Amino acid sequence: MEIPMDIEKRLADLGLELPPVPDAVANYIPGVLVGETLHLSGTIGKIKDNLVYRGKLGSDLTVEEGYQSARLCTLNHLAMAKSVIGDLGRIERAVRLVGYVNSAPGFTEAPWVVNGASDLLVEVLGEERGRHARAALNINELTFDAPVETILTLQVRP
């Protein structure tokens, strides 16, 4: 049996901390655990009530700013996961990430923006547990003019 990793220690080693779980803006909860699969709700790069980045990639924001926004989404997802399963050490692996990028016409670099979320999952969970299936989609609007929204599915230990 593999020893669970201390994800919160790994975050601290990276100079990161979990933000408060984002408040729901409609009728939903942070996540639903079905068997060993944790389905997390979509999240944007909000820390507390502050949307750190705002606007469209390709006109208002750079790819690097979008990348950082996607990293914030992953931090929110980890906070949401902890609120549902209690101990981040139960995370077995990242399964699937869907990233939506608020894009100006002609912007085609959504995969590099969503890498912010993917890269952080690998940094925190390690190569084997952190790599995941993924979609990176350009869209023309996001709630609150957020640059990125991600949805994450995790496999967790009982």
Side-chain angles (χ1 to χ4, degrees), residues 12 15 20 25 28 48 51 70 76 91-92 95 111-113 136-138 146:
V25 297
Y28 61 89
K48 298 186 182 170
L51 182 58
N76 280 325
I91 296 174
E92 183 66 32
V95 176
W112 291 270
V113 170
L137 307 165
N138 293 80

Side-chain angles (χ1 to χ4, degrees), residues 53-66 101-110 113 138-142 145-147:
Y53 298 94
R54 191 178 300 270
K56 290 188 181 298
L57 276 292
S59 62
D60 306 317
L61 299 169
T62 66
V63 170
E64 178 59 28
E65 289 168 319
V101 178
N102 185 359
S103 301
F107 183 78
T108 60
E109 298 177 64
V113 170
N138 293 80
I139 62 171
N140 66 346
E141 297 291 336
L142 275 174
D145 203 24

Side-chain angles (χ1 to χ4, degrees), residues 8 18-24 28-33 38-41 75-91 154 156:
E8 290 188 65
L18 291 178
V21 176
D23 291 332
Y28 61 89
I29 56 177
V32 175
L33 181 62
L38 177 58
H39 301 272
L40 294 171
S41 294
L75 285 175
N76 280 325
H77 272 130
L78 292 172
M80 294 159 71
K82 183 176 180 178
S83 77
V84 176
I85 62 174
D87 177 7
L88 293 178
R90 290 180 58 196
I91 296 174
L154 301 168
V156 299

Side-chain angles (χ1 to χ4, degrees), residues 6-7 23 28 34 40-41 60 64 70-72 79 96-98 102 116 124 128 134 136 140-141:
D6 187 338
I7 293 171
D23 291 332
Y28 61 89
V34 179
L40 294 171
S41 294
D60 306 317
E64 178 59 28
R71 285 177 69 87
L72 293 173
R96 182 170 186 249
L97 173 72
V98 178
N102 185 359
V124 171
E128 187 176 321
R134 186 180 97 174
N140 66 346
E141 297 291 336

